[in-house]
């Protein structure tokens, strides 16, 4: 499946961040215990809560998470212990091999076997492998730990602190990816400031995130699923396929950024400062600008741990091109074992290479910025179609229909019907995915009446979100089984 629903269960009930079990059972219980427990046991308590959170969702792969923690802890300790650079490199290499090997087995073994069978005309049997929840996120954080220790960051002596860094439940299963050197100081409880302001800001941020997910992403996802599930897309009009692509473009932003907001908010409640993961990416005026704003933690991970170590821009033109395309190949592959993801990633790599040669980032003309924004969003929408479809043939058929090639008509009854149902939702989603609210806020300032209006609207959104969840409305969780 191109996207999978996240099911963390208590008995037969779902428990994701946008579930009643999490909102009214798991989080309140963890919150209350955390603020009454002796600070010296705070990290232990959060670790136990995080491991329980993962166990409830994927107990079959609990040993994999524990193994990643153990490898990273032992590797970091040995790297710091030995002074010989050759020994350090050997320990780092072994640690990376083991961690990447675990991820490769679960995510890519069957994909590799299927391609070997197809291209070499073999008949190797695939295995029944269940993908562990959040494997790429906790593996990448474990990788960040050993590399940062190798680069001189101080290793965590307490294994509880180390385990908490990798398994902390707010960002365990879908990020953001927290690099160790960005958060190492917060692993000591005494450096985490716990106060009413942090709790207030964290709850506010969490509320924004859950409103994005439940009120916007879920409903947009319903529309996207209707369109993308059509068996013969050529029977649909051009505008109908554009409507589905736009709905998915908005859905994936609100689902993923909503999750990041919830994770950042929960982290702040417990005194952790997570970096921003999204910064209005659909306001970008180039693809380079888009990837400065979209899934920031992933872009920074590949920049710091792959692109720069390969030489980055400090090498020949041919090597720079190779470095860039390798990074984007890995970015696509990281999202899943499918040629759709690989083509999606490489397409961004080629576009960025073209932009590097042609784009003048110092331009000041408004018209050029507007045209850049249009080109960027058209590119992003088309590439999200490649990302969303099940295979490259379906992506080809869908995109050619969007271009009017072989389409049944420009507009049809299905398009008109869905626009009548979803027009208001789409307009709201478009307005809030660009910095319009921030512009209004900056012009009005921090006036008391404006703060009250914002608080009232957010309370209404939270009540509506909880009502939706309680009524059992369409509530998928688009999280990537990375």
């Amino acid at each position: 499946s191109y996207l999978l629903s996240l099911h963390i269960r208590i008995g037969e009930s779902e428990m994701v961040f946008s579930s009643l079990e999490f909102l009214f059972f798991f989080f309140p219980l963890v919150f209350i215990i955390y603020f009454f427990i002796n600070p010296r046991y705070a990290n232990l308590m959060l670790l136990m809560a995080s491991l329980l959170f993962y166990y409830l969702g994927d107990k079959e792969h609990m040993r994999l998470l524990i193994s990643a923690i153990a490898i990273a802890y032992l590797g970091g300790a040995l790297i710091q212990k030995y002074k010989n650079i050759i020994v350090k490199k050997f320990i780092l290499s072994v640690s990376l091999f083991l961690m990447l090997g675990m991820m490769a087995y679960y995510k890519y073994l069957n994909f590799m076997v299927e391609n070997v069978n197809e291209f070499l005309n073999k008949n190797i049997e695939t295995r029944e492998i269940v993908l562990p929840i959040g494997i790429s996120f906790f593996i990448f954080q474990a990788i960040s730990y050993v590399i940062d220790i190798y680069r001189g960051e101080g290793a965590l002596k307490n294994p509880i602190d180390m385990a908490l860094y990798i398994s902390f439940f707010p960002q365990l299963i879908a990020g953001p990816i927290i690099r160790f050197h960005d958060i190492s100081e917060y692993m000591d409880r005494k450096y985490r400031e716990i106060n009413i302001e942090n709790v207030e800001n964290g709850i506010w941020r969490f509320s924004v995130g859950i409103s994005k997910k439940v009120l916007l992403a879920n409903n947009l996802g319903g529309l996207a699923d209707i369109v993308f599930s059509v068996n013969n897309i050529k029977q649909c009009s051009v505008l109908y396929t554009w409507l589905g692509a736009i709905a998915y473009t908005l859905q994936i932003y609100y689902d993923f950024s909503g999750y990041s907001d919830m994770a950042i908010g929960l982290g702040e409640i417990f005194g952790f400062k997570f970096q921003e993961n999204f910064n209005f990416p659909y306001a970008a005026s180039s693809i380079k600008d888009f990837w400065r704003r979209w899934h920031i933690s992933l872009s920074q991970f590949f920049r710091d741990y792959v692109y720069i170590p390969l030489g980055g821009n400090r090498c020949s033109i041919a090597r720079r091109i190779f470095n860039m395309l390798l990074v984007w190949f890995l970015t696509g592959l990281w999202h899943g074992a499918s040629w759709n993801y690989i083509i999606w990633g490489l397409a961004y790599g080629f576009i960025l290479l073209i932009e590097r040669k042609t784009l003048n980032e110092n331009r000041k003309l408004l018209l050029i910025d507007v045209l850049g924004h249009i080109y960027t969003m058209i590119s992003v929408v088309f590439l999200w179609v490649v990302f969303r479809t099940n295979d490259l043939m379906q992506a080809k058929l869908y995109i050619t229909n969007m271009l009017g090639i072989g389409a049944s008509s420009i507009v049809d009854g299905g398009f008109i019907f869905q626009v009548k149902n979803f027009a208001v939702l789409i307009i709201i989603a478009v307005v809030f995915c660009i910095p319009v609210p921030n512009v209004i806020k900056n012009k009005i300032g921090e006036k008391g009446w404006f703060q009250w209006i914002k608080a009232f609207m957010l309370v209404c959104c939270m009540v509506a979100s909880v009502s939706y969840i309680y009524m059992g409305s369409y509530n998928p969780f688009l999280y990537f089984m990375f």
Side-chain angles (χ1 to χ4, degrees):
S1 172
Y2 52 88
L3 289 171
L4 299 170
S5 296
L6 170 61
H7 296 285
I8 294 182
R9 297 182 176 276
I10 296 179
E12 294 300 319
S13 303
E14 291 184 357
M15 189 182 73
V16 293
F17 288 176
S18 56
S19 70
L20 296 177
E21 289 78 17
F22 181 85
L23 293 173
F24 295 107
F25 173 71
F26 185 87
F27 171 68
L29 184 61
V30 172
F31 178 84
I32 291 171
I33 295 174
Y34 183 77
F35 279 89
F36 282 98
I37 200 170
N38 187 316
R40 71 194 312 186
Y41 302 118
N43 282 3
L44 176 60
M45 177 263 161
L46 286 180
L47 174 61
M48 293 175 64
S50 299
L51 295 178
L52 174 63
F53 185 83
Y54 194 86
Y55 178 83
L56 292 171
D58 195 2
K59 62 183 178 182
E60 291 81 6
H61 295 111
M62 191 72 186
R63 64 185 182 277
L64 187 66
L65 174 61
I66 301 299
S67 297
I69 293 171
I71 292 169
Y73 179 78
L74 181 60
L78 292 175
I79 288 171
Q80 184 159 280
K81 176 181 178 180
Y82 291 100
K83 305 303 179 183
N84 187 290
I85 189 64
I86 296 177
V87 175
K88 285 177 175 288
K89 286 184 177 180
F90 175 76
I91 297 169
L92 175 64
S93 299
V94 171
S95 301
L96 294 179
F97 176 80
L98 292 173
M99 291 186 287
L100 290 173
M102 288 191 296
M103 189 168 71
Y105 173 81
Y106 283 98
K107 288 191 68 171
Y108 306 116
L109 178 62
N110 282 339
F111 177 66
M112 290 187 289
V113 170
E114 289 166 1
N115 281 277
V116 167
N117 288 342
E118 181 174 352
F119 291 110
L120 300 181
N121 196 26
K122 300 292 184 180
N123 192 26
I124 305 172
E125 291 187 7
T126 57
R127 300 186 179 186
E128 291 186 11
I129 299 176
V130 178
L131 195 60
I133 290 175
I135 182 172
S136 294
F137 285 101
F138 65 74
I139 289 291
F140 267 32
Q141 294 205 175
I143 289 172
S144 172
Y145 180 79
V146 293
I147 292 178
D148 286 353
I149 300 305
Y150 175 80
R151 291 176 175 177
E153 195 78 33
L156 294 172
K157 296 180 180 180
N158 190 333
I160 292 174
D161 298 342
M162 165 62 203
L164 178 61
Y165 159 66
I166 293 178
S167 66
F168 190 33
F169 74 88
Q171 40 75 224
L172 171 61
I173 52 178
I177 301 167
I178 309 299
R179 293 167 299 174
F180 179 63
H181 65 265
D182 288 335
I183 201 174
S184 56
E185 65 174 317
Y186 292 113
M187 301 319 299
D188 190 330
R189 171 64 179 81
K190 66 183 180 183
Y191 293 113
R192 298 202 299 269
E193 186 176 356
I194 312 297
N195 54 47
I196 190 63
E197 183 179 358
N198 283 348
V199 173
E200 179 185 344
N201 292 337
I203 291 175
W204 181 281
R205 187 66 178 268
F206 181 89
S207 301
V208 170
I210 198 172
S211 299
K212 282 183 178 181
K213 189 269 178 294
V214 175
L215 301 181
L216 295 175
N218 285 0
N219 289 293
L220 290 163
L223 173 57
D225 286 350
I226 290 171
V227 179
F228 278 91
S229 64
V230 174
N231 290 328
N232 185 4
I233 199 65
K234 291 300 180 182
Q235 296 177 349
C236 301
S237 68
V238 174
L239 291 182
Y240 191 68
T241 49
W242 271 97
L243 182 64
I246 291 170
Y248 181 70
T249 298
L250 293 169
Q251 177 200 6
I252 197 168
Y253 166 70
Y254 281 109
D255 201 291
F256 203 5
S257 69
Y259 187 96
S260 292
D261 286 338
M262 288 187 273
I264 291 169
L266 288 170
E268 188 165 7
I269 289 172
F270 295 106
F272 292 86
K273 300 293 183 183
F274 296 158
Q275 71 172 106
E276 294 297 329
N277 210 22
F278 291 86
N279 181 24
F280 296 107
Y282 293 161
S285 57
S286 68
I287 293 300
K288 183 176 182 179
D289 188 27
F290 172 78
W291 278 100
R292 287 189 187 126
R293 298 164 175 264
W294 179 276
H295 204 344
I296 299 168
S297 62
L298 178 65
S299 300
Q300 291 179 346
F301 183 95
F302 278 112
R303 179 198 67 196
D304 292 349
Y305 300 125
V306 180
Y307 186 68
I308 293 176
L310 286 173
N313 296 328
R314 305 180 307 277
C315 49
S316 66
I317 294 176
R319 183 55 186 265
R320 288 204 300 267
I321 293 173
F322 172 78
N323 293 346
M324 177 78 81
L325 293 181
L326 177 60
V327 164
W328 286 100
F329 169 83
L330 294 174
T331 300
L333 190 63
W334 182 81
H335 284 83
S338 165
W339 283 106
N340 283 51
Y341 296 127
I342 294 172
I343 297 301
W344 173 82
L346 286 174
Y348 273 118
F350 280 110
I351 294 173
L352 287 166
L353 286 172
I354 294 170
E355 283 191 356
R356 177 172 291 181
K357 287 293 184 182
T358 61
L359 186 65
N360 177 14
E361 291 197 332
N362 296 321
R363 64 186 186 271
K364 300 297 182 183
L365 296 177
L366 177 61
L367 177 60
I368 295 178
D369 276 342
V370 171
L371 293 175
H373 176 71
I374 294 172
Y375 130 77
T376 299
M377 286 312 303
I378 290 174
S379 302
V380 168
V381 170
F382 275 116
L383 287 173
W384 278 137
V385 171
V386 176
F387 193 92
R388 171 61 172 80
T389 45
N390 294 322
D391 53 53
L392 292 176
M393 181 56 68
Q394 186 185 10
K396 176 185 175 182
L397 292 173
Y398 198 103
I399 289 173
T400 54
N401 208 75
M402 291 173 69
L403 296 173
I405 302 173
S408 61
S409 60
I410 301 298
V411 62
D412 58 12
F415 170 77
I416 295 172
F417 176 78
Q418 298 298 355
V419 165
K420 288 180 179 178
N421 288 332
F422 288 94
V424 174
L425 177 67
I426 291 174
I427 291 171
I428 292 172
V430 169
V431 168
F432 281 94
C433 75
I434 54 180
V436 171
N438 283 6
V439 172
I440 295 173
K441 175 184 174 181
N442 292 336
K443 289 199 176 286
I444 294 176
E446 299 296 326
K447 296 181 180 179
W449 61 268
F450 182 64
Q451 298 301 317
W452 280 105
I453 291 176
K454 284 202 308 180
F456 175 75
M457 291 177 62
L458 193 59
V459 168
C460 290
C461 288
M462 274 298 295
V463 171
S465 299
V466 173
S467 299
Y468 265 72
I469 298 168
Y470 178 76
M471 291 185 296
S473 299
Y474 182 69
N475 188 30
F477 196 88
L478 294 194
Y479 101 106
F480 307 89
M481 274 295 193
F482 323 114

